[in-house]
Amino acid sequence: MKEVELACEVFRKLLEEQLARIAGMNGEKTDFTTKKQVTIGVIDGDGIGPIITAQATRVLETLLSDEIAAGSIVIKQIEGLTIENRLACGKPIPEDVLAAIKSCDVLLKGPTTTPMGGKMESANVAMRRELDLYANCRPVCIPEKNIDWMFYRENTEGEYVLGSRGVELPGMAVDFKVTTDLGTRRIARAAFEYAKNNGKTHVAVVTKANIMKKTDGRFTAICHEVAKDYPGITVDDYYIDIMTANLLKEPLRQQFQVVLLPNLYGDIITDEAAQIQGGVGTAGSANIGDRYAMFEAIHGSAPRMIERGMGQYANPASIIKAAAMLLRHICRTSAADRLEKAMAKCPVEVRSDGTGVTAEQYTDALISQLS
């Protein structure tokens, strides 16, 4: 069939692109302990993004005021990563915006909207690929329930790397999933290094390797190979379906420490974990590569809140927690400690139904706790 031949040609090109991507994994790391000037790029995003990002920026400006004055920290506003501009340009990240992004060391990013259907790729997926942000790190901590989880989600492969570039034939559509040895090995190494450096003794590897035998089977096998270099850390395998149940099961869930997953499963289960913590508005997220890093809220742009005129009641806690993760990444540990302690004792609460304080009022109260 002519359609099959065309589909095979598309698939061949995709395979060639993925082989080229693997060849470009260079592992050159940024050392923030010696870097004389750090540039933090701020991207507002869509919907509630500008509202909550403005509040996180205020917090960073307060905590880093001395370094900003001295020039060792630069906070740079990056314009143009809006749904309107992306649709007008026909690109998930317009070229001038990408150039501005690459002039920064780290990014604080508000949520962006991805149109349903069509061929417009997610800005997040494109950014993770362009900046090679392979490790998505999402902490969930509920001390009163004895929960302290860190999720390491592979961020540049799996279903998302080619999710908008599948093949359509008459009456049938096919998307692709990609798992590479190098990509898996580096996310596994990142998870085990975190465990070793933070006194953790258990890593749970979560896949669907009983069904996805080629991709998830490979992911699991490589994780166990990496685990051999960390003799003090035990490793257990879980399937994604039972793991979603286990996170709700007491007291079993208290045994989990570091959870290591491929891309799609990590995206899903970390939303569940955040909901257990108090909602997706309470969790921050880090997207880490060797050269660049991006920090963001884990929730979306909430267009319905804007439509209802309730945007001012968007909770900035998630992106402010992401700002704390950013501070740790650039080795401003004392500032991160101050911020996390202030958030723990902040006396006010934002509620999306408008019965609490506004995002700005919450941040006012939070900043008053920093002094």
Side-chain angles (χ1 to χ4, degrees):
M1 291 178 60
K2 182 178 180 182
E3 292 89 351
V4 173
E5 292 176 1
L6 291 172
C8 288
E9 179 61 22
V10 170
F11 188 46
R12 184 183 68 83
K13 290 179 180 178
L14 293 177
L15 290 174
E16 289 173 348
E17 286 181 14
Q18 290 306 298
L19 290 170
R21 180 178 66 85
I22 296 168
M25 296 179 184
N26 58 32
E28 183 180 343
K29 295 182 182 292
T30 300
D31 184 357
F32 288 101
T33 63
T34 59
K35 194 169 178 59
K36 293 182 178 179
Q37 185 181 77
V38 177
T39 301
I40 302 171
V42 176
I43 301 172
D44 284 347
D46 302 309
I48 63 171
I51 296 167
I52 61 173
T53 304
Q55 304 313 315
T57 304
R58 288 176 60 203
V59 171
L60 286 178
E61 288 172 342
T62 300
L63 287 164
L64 301 172
S65 58
D66 290 344
E67 287 200 78
I68 292 171
S72 56
I73 294 284
V74 174
I75 296 182
K76 177 179 179 180
Q77 193 73 35
I78 297 175
E79 307 289 347
L81 199 68
T82 62
I83 183 61
E84 295 82 8
N85 193 37
R86 286 180 282 135
L87 287 172
C89 295
K91 293 184 177 181
I93 308 176
E95 291 181 9
D96 59 332
V97 178
L98 182 59
I101 286 169
K102 288 186 173 181
S103 71
C104 302
D105 299 297
V106 293
L107 301 167
L108 183 69
K109 178 187 166 294
T112 46
T113 298
T114 302
M116 294 183 66
K119 295 185 178 180
M120 175 63 72
E121 185 180 33
S122 157
N124 269 14
V125 171
M127 196 174 303
R128 290 164 185 162
R129 181 183 64 249
E130 292 289 343
L131 305 183
D132 199 20
L133 306 176
Y134 59 84
N136 183 233
C137 313
R138 295 184 174 183
V140 170
C141 185
I142 315 171
E144 64 273 19
K145 296 183 179 180
N146 201 25
I147 288 174
D148 186 8
W149 299 328
M150 175 60 85
F151 295 87
Y152 268 78
R153 163 195 173 194
E154 201 294 316
N155 213 22
T156 57
E157 298 190 346
E159 293 83 355
Y160 288 8
V161 65
L162 298 173
S164 62
R165 302 178 62 195
V167 174
E168 291 183 281
L169 300 176
M172 181 173 66
V174 179
D175 280 326
F176 302 108
K177 177 172 181 170
V178 178
T179 298
T180 69
D181 290 6
L182 278 174
T184 303
R185 200 171 300 279
R186 65 184 183 177
I187 186 63
R189 184 76 60 187
F192 279 95
E193 280 293 308
Y194 172 85
K196 183 184 75 172
N197 295 334
N198 291 274
K200 307 299 182 183
T201 58
H202 182 258
V203 172
V205 178
V206 180
T207 66
K208 195 63 177 170
N210 57 331
I211 303 299
M212 309 297 291
K213 296 181 185 295
K214 297 287 191 299
T215 50
D216 285 8
R218 196 180 198 110
F219 187 95
T220 300
I222 291 172
C223 288
H224 280 274
E225 287 178 18
V226 172
K228 293 176 183 177
D229 295 334
Y230 301 85
I233 300 172
T234 60
V235 185
D236 289 312
D237 293 311
Y238 293 87
Y239 296 137
I240 180 62
D241 43 359
I242 192 61
M243 191 61 168
T244 58
N246 285 343
L247 291 190
L248 301 175
K249 188 175 182 179
E250 299 181 87
L252 175 65
R253 66 185 183 182
Q254 296 174 7
Q255 78 178 32
F256 299 120
Q257 297 177 355
V258 180
V259 184
L260 172 57
L261 318 90
N263 204 336
L264 176 61
Y265 311 144
D267 190 13
I268 295 168
I269 208 168
T270 52
D271 277 9
E272 180 194 21
Q275 192 64 35
I276 295 168
Q277 181 176 249
V280 292
T282 69
S285 175
N287 301 269
I288 308 294
D290 292 326
R291 167 67 180 85
Y292 300 100
M294 176 180 71
F295 300 83
E296 59 182 345
I298 74 167
H299 56 72
S301 57
R304 282 187 288 272
M305 284 193 74
I306 299 298
E307 291 169 4
R308 298 198 314 266
M310 300 292 287
Q312 62 183 323
Y313 293 103
N315 192 344
S318 180
I319 197 165
I320 293 174
K321 286 187 176 181
M325 298 175 77
L326 182 155
L327 290 168
R328 291 198 184 283
H329 184 74
I330 63 173
C331 300
R332 271 58 179 184
T333 306
S334 62
D337 288 342
R338 287 176 61 198
L339 177 52
E340 288 169 351
K341 289 176 182 176
M343 292 190 77
K345 63 182 181 181
C346 189
V348 298
E349 183 180 359
V350 181
R351 301 189 190 97
S352 59
D353 62 1
T355 58
V357 299
T358 65
E360 184 175 5
Q361 289 167 338
Y362 170 85
T363 308
D364 289 341
L366 179 64
I367 289 174
S368 72
Q369 298 290 323
L370 294 172
S371 55

